[in-house]
Amino acid sequence: MKVMAQDAAAKQDAGRDVRTEASMIKVFATEMATLVIDRAMQTFGAMGVTKEMPLQLMAQKVRTMRVYEGPTEVHRMVVARRQMALWR
Ligand SMILES: Cc1cc2nc3c(=O)[nH]c(=O)nc-3n(C[C@H](O)[C@H](O)[C@H](O)COP(=O)(O)OP(=O)(O)OC[C@H]3O[C@@H](n4cnc5c(N)ncnc54)[C@H](O)[C@@H]3O)c2cc1C
């Protein structure tokens, strides 16, 4: 994730179009965060799903990110369309 962000930032600094990289980062970061939080919840069992821990709040926040930063499906479609355009 850090390398993806650094790569996109370097391209942006060089004046390049980074819309594809931005979409890839949003999909990867939000899906990875979803997975990590879910595994942490599972690891803590009942405690992981109570308000005693911040995991429930984190899961709720990350879940909305997969919509408000542009739905994951739309980012995937945009990345695929741009990649197809490169091959034409
Ligand atoms: C907390 C929050 C804050 C927000 N803040 C802002 C803001 O500051 N500025 C702003 O402009 N907007 C904001 N939004 C709106 C947000 O950008 C939209 O909700 C988002 O783009 C999805 O649009 P929609 O809700 O109309 O869902 P829809 O477009 O109806 O999509 C619903 C679902 O259908 C699927 N889908 C949609 N299109 C496709 C497709 N082409 N291919 C495959 N599947 C598809 C996806 O699974 C998607 O999640 C915010 C939303 C939330 C929840």
Side-chain angles (χ1 to χ4, degrees), residues 64 67-68 70-71 73-74 77:
T64 58
V67 172
Y68 74 65
E73 293 79 8
V74 175
M77 187 184 67

Short mmCIF file of all heavy atoms in Angstrom, two decimals, residues 64 67-68 70-71 73-74 77, ligand 1:
data_model
loop_
_atom_site.label_atom_id
_atom_site.label_comp_id
_atom_site.label_asym_id
_atom_site.label_seq_id
_atom_site.Cartn_x
_atom_site.Cartn_y
_atom_site.Cartn_z
N THR A 64 -18.15 2.45 4.78
CA THR A 64 -18.68 3.60 4.02
C THR A 64 -17.65 4.09 2.99
O THR A 64 -18.03 4.58 1.93
CB THR A 64 -19.09 4.77 4.94
OG1 THR A 64 -17.96 5.16 5.71
CG2 THR A 64 -20.23 4.40 5.85
N VAL A 67 -17.93 3.07 -0.55
CA VAL A 67 -19.00 3.70 -1.35
C VAL A 67 -18.67 5.17 -1.63
O VAL A 67 -18.65 5.60 -2.78
CB VAL A 67 -20.37 3.59 -0.64
CG1 VAL A 67 -21.42 4.40 -1.37
CG2 VAL A 67 -20.81 2.14 -0.52
N TYR A 68 -18.36 5.95 -0.58
CA TYR A 68 -18.27 7.39 -0.80
C TYR A 68 -17.03 7.86 -1.55
O TYR A 68 -17.02 8.95 -2.11
CB TYR A 68 -18.49 8.19 0.49
CG TYR A 68 -17.38 8.21 1.52
CD1 TYR A 68 -16.15 8.79 1.25
CD2 TYR A 68 -17.60 7.71 2.80
CE1 TYR A 68 -15.16 8.85 2.21
CE2 TYR A 68 -16.61 7.75 3.77
CZ TYR A 68 -15.41 8.32 3.47
OH TYR A 68 -14.44 8.38 4.41
N GLY A 70 -16.24 6.54 -4.17
CA GLY A 70 -16.53 5.92 -5.46
C GLY A 70 -16.67 4.43 -5.20
O GLY A 70 -15.79 3.83 -4.59
N PRO A 71 -17.79 3.83 -5.64
CA PRO A 71 -17.97 2.40 -5.37
C PRO A 71 -16.82 1.57 -5.96
O PRO A 71 -16.32 1.87 -7.05
CB PRO A 71 -19.29 2.08 -6.07
CG PRO A 71 -20.00 3.37 -6.21
CD PRO A 71 -18.93 4.41 -6.36
N GLU A 73 -16.79 -1.22 -7.39
CA GLU A 73 -17.09 -1.78 -8.71
C GLU A 73 -16.81 -0.75 -9.81
O GLU A 73 -16.32 -1.10 -10.89
CB GLU A 73 -18.58 -2.21 -8.79
CG GLU A 73 -18.95 -3.37 -7.89
CD GLU A 73 -19.16 -2.99 -6.43
OE1 GLU A 73 -19.17 -1.77 -6.12
OE2 GLU A 73 -19.31 -3.90 -5.60
N VAL A 74 -17.11 0.51 -9.52
CA VAL A 74 -16.89 1.56 -10.53
C VAL A 74 -15.39 1.79 -10.71
O VAL A 74 -14.91 1.94 -11.84
CB VAL A 74 -17.65 2.85 -10.13
CG1 VAL A 74 -17.32 3.99 -11.10
CG2 VAL A 74 -19.15 2.59 -10.09
N MET A 77 -14.07 -0.95 -12.84
CA MET A 77 -14.48 -0.76 -14.23
C MET A 77 -13.61 0.32 -14.90
O MET A 77 -13.17 0.16 -16.04
CB MET A 77 -15.95 -0.34 -14.26
CG MET A 77 -16.57 -0.26 -15.63
SD MET A 77 -18.25 0.35 -15.51
CE MET A 77 -17.96 2.03 -14.98
C1 LIG B 1 -20.80 9.21 4.01
C2 LIG B 1 -20.87 9.66 2.58
C3 LIG B 1 -20.24 10.83 2.21
C4 LIG B 1 -20.29 11.28 0.90
N1 LIG B 1 -19.65 12.44 0.57
C5 LIG B 1 -19.69 12.90 -0.69
C6 LIG B 1 -19.03 14.11 -1.05
O1 LIG B 1 -18.40 14.77 -0.22
N2 LIG B 1 -19.08 14.53 -2.34
C7 LIG B 1 -19.75 13.82 -3.29
O2 LIG B 1 -19.76 14.24 -4.44
N3 LIG B 1 -20.40 12.67 -2.97
C8 LIG B 1 -20.39 12.20 -1.71
N4 LIG B 1 -21.05 11.02 -1.39
C9 LIG B 1 -21.78 10.32 -2.43
C10 LIG B 1 -20.98 9.18 -2.98
O3 LIG B 1 -19.94 9.63 -3.83
C11 LIG B 1 -21.96 8.25 -3.72
O4 LIG B 1 -22.78 7.67 -2.73
C12 LIG B 1 -21.21 7.17 -4.49
O5 LIG B 1 -20.57 7.71 -5.64
C13 LIG B 1 -22.18 6.08 -4.95
O6 LIG B 1 -23.24 6.64 -5.64
P1 LIG B 1 -24.74 6.22 -5.25
O7 LIG B 1 -24.90 6.33 -3.76
O8 LIG B 1 -25.65 7.00 -6.14
O9 LIG B 1 -24.83 4.68 -5.59
P2 LIG B 1 -25.12 4.04 -7.00
O10 LIG B 1 -24.42 4.77 -8.10
O11 LIG B 1 -26.59 3.84 -7.12
O12 LIG B 1 -24.40 2.65 -6.80
C14 LIG B 1 -24.91 1.67 -5.90
C15 LIG B 1 -24.08 0.43 -6.06
O13 LIG B 1 -24.29 -0.10 -7.37
C16 LIG B 1 -23.08 -0.64 -7.86
N5 LIG B 1 -22.71 0.06 -9.10
C17 LIG B 1 -22.97 1.34 -9.45
N6 LIG B 1 -22.49 1.62 -10.67
C18 LIG B 1 -21.91 0.49 -11.11
C19 LIG B 1 -21.23 0.15 -12.31
N7 LIG B 1 -21.06 1.02 -13.30
N8 LIG B 1 -20.75 -1.10 -12.42
C20 LIG B 1 -20.92 -2.00 -11.43
N9 LIG B 1 -21.57 -1.74 -10.28
C21 LIG B 1 -22.05 -0.51 -10.13
C22 LIG B 1 -22.05 -0.49 -6.79
O14 LIG B 1 -21.99 -1.67 -6.01
C23 LIG B 1 -22.58 0.63 -5.94
O15 LIG B 1 -22.11 0.56 -4.62
C24 LIG B 1 -21.00 10.55 -0.07
C25 LIG B 1 -21.63 9.34 0.30
C26 LIG B 1 -21.55 8.90 1.59
C27 LIG B 1 -22.24 7.60 1.97
#
